[in-house]
Amino acid sequence: MQVRAKMDKILEAVVMSSYPNNVKQGLVRRVIEAAKQPMDSEQCWSMLELSTKLYLTGDTKYKREIGKEVLEVYGHYHPEEFEEFFNVRFLLSLLQEGYGPLGKRSHYVLDYIQLGLQFVLESPSANSIFNLLRIEVLRKVCERPSPKQCAKISKLLTQHPQCIPAGKHQILFCQQLIRCIGQFQCVSEGEEDIMEFLEQVNKVSGLLQRIWRTQTSAILPSLKELFTIISSTEEQEAPSNALASVVQFVPLELMDGVIRNLTNDDSITDVQMMTAISRMIDWVSWPLGKNIDKWIIALLKGLAAVKKFSILIEVTLSKIEKVFSKLLYPIVREGALSVLQYMLLSFQHSHEAFHLLLPHIPRLVASLKKEDSNSATSSLEQLAELVHCMFFRFSGFPDLYEPVLEAVKALPIPNEDRIKHLLGQNAWTSQKNELACFYPRLASKSETGKIGLMNLGNTCYMNSIIQSLFMASDFRHSVLNLTEGNSQPLMTKLQWLFAFLEHSQRPAISPESFLSASWPPWFTPGAQQDCSEYLKYLLDRLHEEEKTGKRIYQKLKESSLMSQAIEQHYLNKTLIEKMFGGKMMTKIRCLKCLNVSSREEAFTDLSLAFPPPDRHVLRTGSTSVLPVEEIGPQFIEPPGNPSQIMGSPRKQKKPHVSGDHPAQLVLVETLGFQEPGEQATPLSSDAVNMDSAKDPLLAFGEQTCSPKDSRSVPDLINYFLSPERLTAENKYHCEKCASLQDAEKVAELTEGPHYLILTLLRFSFDPRTMKRKKILDNVSIPLVLKLPVLVAPEESEDVWHRRKDRAAPGSSFVSVVYDLCSVVVHSGISSESGHYYCYSRECSDTSTLGQPQDGAQKPASDKQLDFEIQWYLFNDTRVSFSSFESVSNVTSFFPKDTAYVLFYRQRPGRQSCPLHEAGAEASRPHGEPSLNKDLMEAISKDNILYLQEQEKEARNRAAYISALPKSPLWWRDFDRDKDDDSSSGGCSPAAGGGGSGSFHGLVF
């Protein structure tokens, strides 16, 4: 018994001795084994006091381990004595006064308490201890302990959740814990110290996650406190980036509500918001954080939705280089790249942000290539895509872009559709704002990325034509590629209009300047006009304007003031001729002497009359054939004094031709889908019905051929090209016979235009009513059209050997393939009233069916691309996604809405090679040419002006705050308890911060 009474002395002597540790360990083991035997309370207390001393003040790890081992033995074998020793008063003393000499208080108090708690969980005093700890841990965090001590508190509470403060104190505890994290700093830059710091932060934030999982009502007040910290402008030091570890545990389903309430809270100043978002962007450097980039991007989008562009501009320009620099570090690369992508793709009003990065891009690319990892490879591809988007958006800086282009030249290049998609969905003006329905001036840019045109008073006829011309990409590229000083004022105005349609951030722009310059003088202001008539006048003006420039060139050439390069430029065709000009041969054969006279004339559109109602479409084989007969509708005469190029061939009367057919008739076809080796034949109704079950695309082909009792575009063209008998009052004066004779007249296309414009002559003058009436017949529109073009005899043999879909040997016609680009629709029953809108898509060589070198068509599977090209509906200021199905069915659904003007683009092929030169000259890697500096500056200034206008409107509180829905009830219990505001749990107001009433129901 006396030996046991001195057991604490023996143990202390052994531990303090200079014996080797292995000798000490043997002696200590004997003491511990003896402690497992029954002993009186005094002996237990002595051993517990000694082991407590060793654990809390031991100067070596060995001493602390001995103390821990003894405590565990006594807690297990002497529970009553341990519970009596480990009492509330003792724990309160430890927590408030510490243990050990003054100035050298132990750092292991929390570890000690955690160790002892496991032995008193079932004791009667357990609840008293838990209540004490709930209060004390709250007081501890209010004292802003170090990261190490916070981690110990978190470890204690994670292992013993009964000690987590409850009720209102729990919310306060979470807020104070976040304030602690905001002051965390890593004291060393050594790798081990950094890893230890990260582990400590993760333990603390992990405790918050645990609390939020069991008590979701604590999440939003915690986020509110977080925003108070990061938005504070009074702190001398920025809060720790360790706060990023808190955000990663916030459920993403709360994101929309949090951001919506945050960005619409009027109590947050611009400076506070700018400070907060700047500090959040700094969080991209926090390693291993999840969803941090999503929250940053969501807040940026939220600010864009409420038009706070000045904040976004300032933050982007000040932080984008720092975000870019984080791409060097694999551990934070993914999140940094996501934030960088949004910052760049959204900053579309100016090139300033992108140009800040230009000096750094080549070095980063070189570094990523050297790294040679999956992360680096993926990042390189995404970076290259981002760079090409910026090249596309801000062209015209070859000296700055050359080093960057050289750095990324070996990386994949995104196609133009992908680029436009990325730019369209990320622009600040594309962000949806829930307030727009209350306040129309806050409406966002169309999700299509396309820009509308304002209606200036029955100017929809012009808007639909301008949008159709704009979507003719080859023409648009050529117009945008015009140089300054081109002596073409109207074309220059069109260039400016196209440039703004391509690069403006506005949802719609005003074409007022172009309207006044292109207005036909006989048009009545404010009245509805014929869009076809406007189109003819516009193309004629542009053509004549360029011809005038050529005449000026001739005079300059005579004075030898022009260089050879400029001379070559002016000797080419006009742009209108290149893009829309075709040629037609009119032949008249005398039926008496059989002499044939011919004349070739140019055209920019074909005006297609409707066959009389009693004329039905006949089906011969697989081709639509129209017998010739007198027609009804008369065409409106074009503006006076048109040039030859602006002619619009049309026929007034077509008496039935009987007897022999002196002229060969090659019929227009719609292009079907053929398998390799099959002859290209048009789709018939029977063929579609038979094969549609095999190939879903074939069923879609029904829309490319006319129903039994309706017309199709090929029907109208065949009628246009069919022979016409000249008899009676229309007899032909034959020069050979020197008298009027019966004759036959036929028109043949000799050169297909690059863009084929077809006008359906729906308006005619009714002599009975003395009014113009509209033909409302539904006309089916083929997606792909095959047009017969006559080729010169010397070309015929070469052409037919190259083309698989040739006609019979010796034929002089070749089928030229056209793809539908735009359809201008007239809604109404008269040309003097109604409304115009258009369906359009961008056709290019890369998106249409290719032609192999042997001239054969590719397999049918490639043809699917024609159905994948996105269609758009342009209706003045409204632009929306559409489809070819909508184009095809518009008249079926709305009988007064009928196709009026069609635009087809010629597919590259043997006959079309010269016509594609203009498009090729204008094309660049990503389509849009570089703009001149004055134009770029004007667009940039207007974009900035628009952002300023939108921000000013958004800041008009009376306009949209009153329309805001009431805040959700997330804060109801927390905000309405005024007692909670004054109850700080032992913390001063300065320490707590973020009172519940300071944000007026703000979520964050």
Side-chain angles (χ1 to χ4, degrees), residues 308-332:
K308 294 186 178 179
F309 300 119
S310 59
I311 297 176
L312 293 168
I313 292 172
E314 180 68 27
V315 167
T316 302
L317 294 178
S318 64
K319 291 296 182 181
I320 196 165
E321 288 180 280
K322 184 171 184 178
V323 173
F324 185 85
S325 69
K326 301 305 175 185
L327 300 183
L328 288 168
Y329 308 104
I331 197 169
V332 297

Side-chain angles (χ1 to χ4, degrees), residues 188 415 474 710 714 759 900 996-997:
S188 173
N415 60 42
D474 298 330
S710 68
T759 301
Y900 184 37
S996 62

Side-chain angles (χ1 to χ4, degrees), residues 454 456 462 497 509-518:
M454 295 180 184
L456 303 176
M462 179 192 71
L497 182 57
I509 59 175
S510 170
E512 183 176 5
S513 176
F514 186 78
L515 175 64
S516 61
S518 62

Side-chain angles (χ1 to χ4, degrees), residues 386-416:
L386 193 57
V387 166
H388 284 292
C389 286
M390 294 297 100
F391 285 166
F392 178 91
R393 182 65 185 85
F394 305 113
S395 56
F397 300 90
D399 53 329
L400 296 178
Y401 293 167
E402 186 176 351
V404 178
L405 192 59
E406 179 67 22
V408 301
K409 65 180 181 181
L411 297 170
I413 300 175
N415 60 42
E416 187 172 333

Side-chain angles (χ1 to χ4, degrees), residues 818-837:
Y818 282 88
D819 294 290
L820 183 65
C821 295
S822 295
V823 178
V824 179
V825 176
H826 177 263
S827 177
I829 58 173
S830 168
S831 62
E832 288 86 9
S833 62
H835 179 63
Y836 288 99
Y837 56 90

Side-chain angles (χ1 to χ4, degrees), residues 284 293 296-297 323 327 331-340:
V284 297
D293 56 322
I296 295 173
I297 293 171
V323 173
L327 300 183
I331 197 169
V332 297
R333 182 177 293 152
E334 182 179 356
L337 185 56
S338 295
V339 175
L340 177 72

